[in-house]
Amino acid sequence: MAALGSPLRTWRGLLRELRYLNAATGRPYRDTAAYRYLVKAFRAHRVTSEKLCRAQHELHFQAATYLCLLRSIREHVALHQEFHGKGTDGERGNEGRFRGLLTSTYASS
Amino acid sequence: MWRSCLRLRDGGRRLLNRPRSGLTASEGLGRKPPIPFRAYVPPAERKKFYQNVSISQGEGGFEINLDHRKLRTPQGKLFTVPSEALAIAVATEWDSQQDTIKMYTMHLTTLCNTSLDNPTQRDKDQLIRAAVKFLDTDTVCYRVEEPETLVELQRNEWDPVISWAERRYGVEIGSSTSITGPSIPARTREVLVSHLASYNMWALQGIEFVVTQLKSLVLTLGLMDLHLTVEQAVLLSRLEEEYQIQKWGNIEWAHDYELQELRARTAAGTLFVHLCSESTAIKHKLLQG
């Protein structure tokens, strides 16, 4: 089985990503359908008398996968805007791309 | 050179609609009228045209509403998904867009559109064959002979995954340093084909998508069977690249950019398959007494 870590950590990560997503709209993340669905799903899988619950593990896996999706999209967009976005187009923009390489190789120039 | 690239990028519309002579085609030498621009603007450049996103349940499944309009696929079909969780995730994608609609961040929407429209017109058998074909050139089966540290890394990280897959499915896969790749027994192919046949059409679209991203059927099976997390599968898929990064350094705008994009696509595909495959049923325990 995949090493997922603690469900609480996944839950906190999901809340953080939902907060980021809704920060721009100004709407509280608790009003979103995604939040309500996740709360319902996590609560439903707590109520079980089985000690080893495959459904619980599946839910955690899906939650962790969704967290990975939200987090990696956010980081991808941030990298896109920093290095590949329209604000850095034209000749000037290319300086940003080589910033790390050139300045470290030709530090004195 | 750049002008010709621009021409290619716009699909040749400039060539068709504005000939160099300056005359419109209809005024020209009796040629056919120009092909009109498509009315459909690629969503990647569209401004956000809605305020509220909601889901509703229709006859065919769950639908997405952008204000009062129902979301449609690129081919004009009504956007319907079989699972509520998937609908909510798609709605969240649309809701999280800000000034412009960035389609390249909406992987779940894209997967749903592909499943609904099936633009490549592939049936279930073709999708399964496409996925199993990857086994011949599976990343985790293709080994290098040098440097020794990379050989050892591949052995330590990839052998356990192959052993897991062989045990789980009762097949032989193996690995190879030959340029032709591993020789996969016919029985292995048959077993995996019949396993994949148990998935529905939507899930298969997702599986084939993940296989193409990771360049590995074995890693994809690990994800579908909850044996690997997305981060683990992506790391294993990029093992040699990670090895080179550790040796030569990381370039944020290239390596991290590709890493995050691969993670996003793999996570979307994996989640898509799981949400399309599950069926939830609540069974109430009867109290006997």
Side-chain angles (χ1 to χ4, degrees), chain A residues 48-77:
Chain A
T48 173
S49 56
E50 293 176 64
K51 289 207 166 127
L52 274 174
C53 184
R54 187 182 159 83
Q56 233 172 15
H57 183 75
E58 272 177 20
L59 167 70
H60 188 197
F61 184 89
Q62 286 173 19
T65 304
Y66 190 50
L67 172 59
C68 179
L69 174 63
L70 293 178
R71 190 186 278 152
S72 46
I73 287 175
R74 180 171 55 80
E75 298 196 6
H76 180 237
V77 167

Side-chain angles (χ1 to χ4, degrees), chain B residues 118-172:
Chain B
N118 196 8
T120 52
Q121 300 284 310
R122 286 187 292 182
D123 63 19
K124 203 166 161 178
D125 284 334
Q126 285 168 316
L127 281 173
I128 293 172
R129 267 204 304 272
V132 174
K133 202 163 182 302
F134 251 95
L135 202 50
D136 293 322
T137 51
D138 203 303
T139 299
V140 302
C141 300
Y142 240 100
R143 305 298 171 89
V144 296
E145 285 175 314
E146 54 167 12
E148 186 54 42
T149 39
L150 181 54
V151 171
E152 200 184 326
L153 185 66
Q154 288 182 341
R155 198 169 36 233
N156 291 338
E157 299 298 326
W158 287 348
D159 278 357
V161 185
I162 295 181
S163 307
W164 166 82
E166 287 178 334
R167 273 193 319 269
R168 162 78 176 82
Y169 296 99
V171 294
E172 274 176 41

